[in-house]
Every structure is written in C-alpha cells, then in structure tokens.
Amino acid sequence: MKEDRSVSAAAVERSLDPASEAEWVELRELGHRMLDGMFDHIRGVRDMPAWQELPARTKSDFAAEAVPRTGVGAEAAYESFVRDVLPYGIGNAHPRFWGWVQGGGTVVGMLAEMLAAGMNPNVGGFNDSATMVEEQVLRWLAELMGMPEGTSGLLTSGGSMANLLGLAVGRCARAGFDVREEGVEGGPMLRVYCSTETHSWLNKAVELMGMGRVSLCPVGVDAEYRMRMDELSEAVAADQAAGYRPLCVVGTAGTVNTGATDDLEAIADLCEAEGMWFHVDGAFGALAYLSESLRPALRGMERVDSLAFDLHKWGYLPYDVGCVLVRDAEAHRAAFATGASYLTAMERGPVAGGIRFAERTPELSRGFRALKVWMSLKSQGVDALVEQIEKNVEQASYLARRVESSPELELAAEAPLNIVCFRYRGASDEENKEILMRVQERGIAVPSGTMVEARFAIRVAITNHRSRREDFDALVDAVVAIGREVMG
C-alpha cells in the first residue's frame, strides 16, 4: 500500500515544466522558432501596414471561445498567436507610428524581457541581484537627470503611476499635518497647481488620493502653451488668503498636446519661496535633458523635488517601464513605509537590510523592469539614446517645414520639441478627423488626433527610433491626397 501511495503522489506532484527529456527538446525547438519569428517580425516591420484592424471573424472568435479546461499544447497556442494576435497590434513598432507618444521597443529590450521572465524575481527590494540592478539603474538615471547623489526612486508601470507616487510623497512632505494618520480632513484644503495643458493623470491622481478635483487649480497658458507665471503667483496668493494650503506645483516638460515646456526655473523659484513641493511631469520630454543641445529648454528641471518620466516613450524601450525620482530619500520612505511582521528585516539572508522598494510604493509584488533598462544602457550606451532623441527633434522640424511649405496644409501650433500638430487647410474638424482615420485605416501611418485651441488637429508625436525622413514625406503626401478626396 505504501508503494501505491508513493506512485499516486508522484503522479499528482507534476510541475508545469516539460515532463520528459523529449518534451524539453520539443519545447526548446519551439522556443527557438518563436525567437526567430519575432526577429523576422521586427526586422520586416517596415514592409507591413502601420496598422490593420482585426477581421470581424477574429473578433468574433475571441468573444466566443470557451475557457480552455484542457490545453491544446504550446505549439498550437503559438500558431494562434501568429495568426490572430501578432498582425493586429496597435503598430507602435512600425516606423510610421507616431500616435499617443508610444515608443517602438528594441530588440535588446525584447531579449531582456525574456531573461527577466526566466529569472522571475519579485523585485520588492530583497537582498538579491535584481534589487542591485534596479538600484544601479536608478542611480544612473538620477545622475543623467542632474539630480544629486542619494536621490531615491522607483521604476513603475508608466508615467501615470510615477506621477502619482511623486505627488503622494509631496503631499506627505508638505501638507503640514500627518496625512497618513489623519487623512485629508486633518488640515486645511490642499491645493495643487498645474497648467491647462497638463496631462489627465493629475485629475485621476487627486481623485484617487481623496483630495478631489476641487484641490486642483488649473492655470492658463501663454501663446507658447507654457504655464503663465503671473496667474500662478496670483492663484497661490489667493489660496493663502482664503486659508488653503498651497501644496505643490506640477510643471510639465513636454506637454502632451504640443510638446511645450513650462518655465521650470521660475516654478522652482516660486516653490522654494513658498515652501511648496515642485513636481515635474516629464513623461517623454524629460529625456531631452540627456542632450546637451536640448537641455537648455529644460533648465530648472534639476531642481525638482520629484520627477516622473517614461523609458517606454522617448527611451524607446518595450512596455512597460516608467520612473519616479525623489530628491529627499527619507521623504520618499516616509510616504509609504509601514511595519508588518512578515516583512521584518533579518541580519542575514534574503531579507537582510529590509525590503527597500516596498517602502517606496504601495506595491509589494513588482516585476524585473530594470533588466531591460540595464541591458540596453550597458549594451548600447547613453550616447546612442541621445542620438535618437536629437534625430527625432530634427525630424519634427523637418515635418513642420514640409507642412508650412504645402499650400494645402497648416500648422496648428509651433513645434518646439518632437510633436507636430497640423491640419488640412480649409477642412472642418470632422473632415480632418476623416482624413486621419483614412490614413490610419489604409495602414499608411498612425498619427493621432487632438484639440488645439478648440480645433481638431492631426498630431504626430515622434518617439520612434525607426522613422526616417522618407516616412514623414509619405505622411504629408498621404494627408494631401486623402484631403483632396475628402474635400471633393
């Protein structure tokens, strides 16, 4: 009977790994096919449509397929991926994808993601190599962004979470009362200042933090879409007189609509004088700081209390990886650290020194995002990244010149960085939308759309390392040709 129980237990205690040497060989061969397939896909992406819609039948199949109680095997699952998933992505790996400020990813980043998944660490900040890699990456990024030694930070899912964390630290540091203990009702109304061009993450952040949108004070912008400092100063003074507490100014390095950058030096001066937290949303624009030629436009950013940016945008890395940097490491820790017996630090072993990243975020479980950053910087170097950023800015200038030289097109706003907004001249908002959708649907290119001064514009956000001048020529030619179709 004992022998029978042992056999039964062995059968029950299977893992999810291949069960035999033959199965290992088979899966290894499939893995090599998958890797070769992705290399072929990325290498040949220029020859594909910039975007193509899922066929109706494929959509129907996705909606109708039942839960797979028994598997079909890895090879069949891969075939489904190749047939039904790979051709119908959003298209941001394509050299003519310029929509919504999305980076195109890199081959080295893709390989690093595979290695990270193979290691499969929970990067909560344990005493392990993955933690050391992220700490090193954060130190490099702080240095590159002009922030001092000892700056704290964290890699996040993206700019929205990075911005939220930076604002949360600022609230704890500048509220004037114990927000973590008393909640937002423990003191005067807290006020956060931003421009009318600030990204919508801030609305969500103040809602999630329980401060409500009533805590937000949007400030008007000038003709270059930069926050008006006179209005900002007046708003702060008015709130002080009303008994509110000015908490934080959110400056923007590269606004989402036009790529404008606020006067960060002046905002830093005001925050220093008034004792406010200075946070910069640099989702894509902050990375222009890496370039000596572009850095002057971001002067003052190095004085931030907290800074958020995305490496999957103008850092070109695969999704997802954002970053928040916090000048005051103790303020960062004070905003999130908490005691729990199951997280107690030990003198030796995997939790020697504590679980450091758990003290910088509400999250405990975190993936190994840092590996793709680390491997990319080590393998390609920062100078290669700077070269691409400067190329994209030059491409934006080139596109703006092409638009201005066309009698059928017009710029909707200046292009100070890497975003170009333009219209088909004489067309209504609905007609310009139609032009944009036809460009997208035909797989020619993928710009996105936005509203500039209450008028619809085609928006080209250039964070694509695969783009060439010929791609922007193709876009202009297509918009002109389709504009003639739409206008009759």
Side-chain angles (χ1 to χ4, degrees):
M1 294 295 294
K2 284 185 178 180
E3 186 174 344
D4 290 341
R5 284 197 297 270
S6 175
V7 171
S8 175
V12 169
E13 292 179 343
R14 291 190 299 264
S15 78
L16 293 174
D17 291 331
S20 67
E21 181 62 26
E23 289 182 6
W24 274 108
V25 170
E26 183 179 327
L27 190 58
R28 182 190 295 268
E29 291 174 351
L30 178 61
H32 283 289
R33 279 176 50 203
M34 291 176 174
L35 187 58
D36 287 341
M38 290 311 300
F39 270 104
D40 290 342
H41 172 77
I42 295 172
R43 187 176 183 182
V45 71
R46 174 172 286 279
D47 299 323
M48 304 173 191
W51 177 81
Q52 53 185 336
E53 188 171 7
L54 276 148
R57 181 166 182 174
T58 304
K59 288 183 179 180
S60 176
D61 289 345
F62 270 116
E65 186 176 2
V67 175
R69 302 299 304 182
T70 57
V72 296
E75 183 162 4
Y78 174 59
E79 289 171 357
S80 294
F81 165 79
V82 172
R83 181 185 64 247
D84 299 330
V85 179
L86 184 59
Y88 306 112
I90 190 64
N92 53 312
H94 197 280
R96 294 182 188 168
F97 188 98
W98 308 296
W100 306 282
V101 199
Q102 296 187 27
T106 63
V107 177
V108 171
M110 177 189 75
L111 295 173
E113 286 283 74
M114 178 187 69
L115 299 177
M119 277 189 69
N120 192 35
N122 174 7
V123 192
F126 293 93
N127 180 23
D128 68 342
S129 59
T131 296
M132 293 299 100
V133 168
E134 183 157 344
E135 288 284 25
Q136 186 174 61
V137 164
L138 291 166
R139 179 170 57 82
W140 288 345
L141 293 173
E143 180 181 333
L144 290 169
M145 291 298 175
M147 297 187 71
E149 186 176 348
T151 292
S152 181
L154 196 75
L155 296 181
T156 68
S157 60
S160 294
M161 184 56 68
N163 279 306
L164 172 64
L165 294 178
L167 184 61
V169 177
R171 183 177 67 169
C172 287
R174 296 288 191 270
F177 57 96
D178 191 342
V179 178
R180 294 188 68 182
E181 179 67 28
E182 303 173 48
V184 292
E185 300 300 322
M189 178 186 288
L190 304 174
R191 293 282 273 172
V192 177
Y193 307 88
C194 63
S195 89
T196 53
E197 292 290 297
T198 303
H199 190 278
S200 61
W201 71 265
L202 187 50
N203 286 320
K204 294 182 181 180
V206 294
E207 292 166 6
L208 285 168
M209 292 166 65
M211 297 162 62
R213 278 175 284 177
V214 69
S215 65
L216 270 187
C217 180
V219 175
V221 294
D222 60 20
E224 297 178 337
Y225 300 97
R226 293 153 50 101
M227 189 187 301
R228 288 189 53 175
M229 292 305 301
D230 55 342
E231 286 192 20
L232 175 61
S233 297
E234 291 169 5
V236 170
D239 283 346
Q240 288 171 331
Y244 303 150
R245 184 174 184 86
L247 176 77
C248 172
V249 180
V250 176
T252 301
T255 57
V256 68
N257 268 348
T258 64
T261 295
D262 292 326
D263 187 343
L264 304 180
E265 192 78 66
I267 296 174
D269 289 341
L270 178 65
C271 287
E272 185 176 326
E274 299 294 343
M276 291 187 290
W277 190 264
F278 177 28
H279 176 79
V280 166
D281 171 8
F284 66 91
L287 285 161
Y289 193 88
L290 304 182
S291 164
E292 289 186 11
S293 64
L294 300 174
R295 191 175 303 152
L298 283 79
R299 187 174 60 252
M301 193 180 77
E302 67 281 354
R303 296 172 60 187
V304 294
D305 293 300
S306 56
L307 170 66
F309 55 95
D310 284 321
L311 290 155
H312 58 223
K313 287 190 170 74
W314 225 357
Y316 309 104
L317 291 177
Y319 278 86
D320 57 21
V321 57
C323 180
V324 60
L325 297 173
V326 180
R327 178 179 299 273
D328 185 339
E330 184 50 40
H332 193 176
R333 182 182 181 280
F336 298 108
T338 187
S341 61
Y342 47 85
L343 300 178
T344 302
M346 299 287 185
E347 291 76 19
R348 301 188 308 279
V351 287
I355 305 178
R356 66 190 77 178
F357 293 141
E359 298 181 339
R360 304 181 194 178
T361 173
E363 298 174 297
L364 180 57
S365 298
R366 303 175 65 249
F368 198 5
R369 296 186 179 102
L371 187 62
K372 59 192 169 191
V373 187
W374 186 79
M375 286 194 68
S376 296
L377 291 177
K378 284 178 75 73
S379 66
Q380 296 169 323
V382 175
D383 290 347
L385 184 61
V386 172
E387 180 183 338
Q388 295 299 320
I389 290 170
E390 291 176 346
K391 179 187 76 173
N392 287 160
V393 173
E394 192 282 326
Q395 288 169 336
S397 296
Y398 176 75
L399 175 58
R401 293 194 299 272
R402 281 294 319 265
V403 169
E404 288 181 308
S405 67
S406 170
E408 295 172 81
L409 304 177
E410 62 182 0
L411 286 176
E414 295 299 316
L417 201 57
N418 63 332
I419 293 180
V420 181
C421 295
F422 69 101
R423 305 184 184 94
Y424 191 88
R425 191 185 299 272
S428 67
D429 285 354
E430 290 305 314
E431 288 165 336
N432 270 295
K433 288 179 185 178
E434 181 63 26
I435 293 167
L436 172 60
M437 288 187 289
R438 292 189 193 185
V439 169
Q440 294 170 339
E441 289 170 337
R442 294 178 189 181
I444 299 167
V446 181
S448 55
T450 192
M451 300 299 290
V452 178
E453 294 184 351
R455 294 181 62 196
F456 185 83
I458 297 168
R459 174 173 166 273
V460 182
I462 309 170
T463 53
N464 193 322
H465 63 93
R466 298 186 178 99
S467 300
R468 304 171 187 160
R469 280 196 176 195
E470 66 194 63
D471 297 310
F472 301 101
D473 290 334
L475 172 65
V476 169
D477 292 344
V479 170
V480 169
I482 293 173
R484 291 171 182 169
E485 289 177 15
V486 171
M487 298 295 286

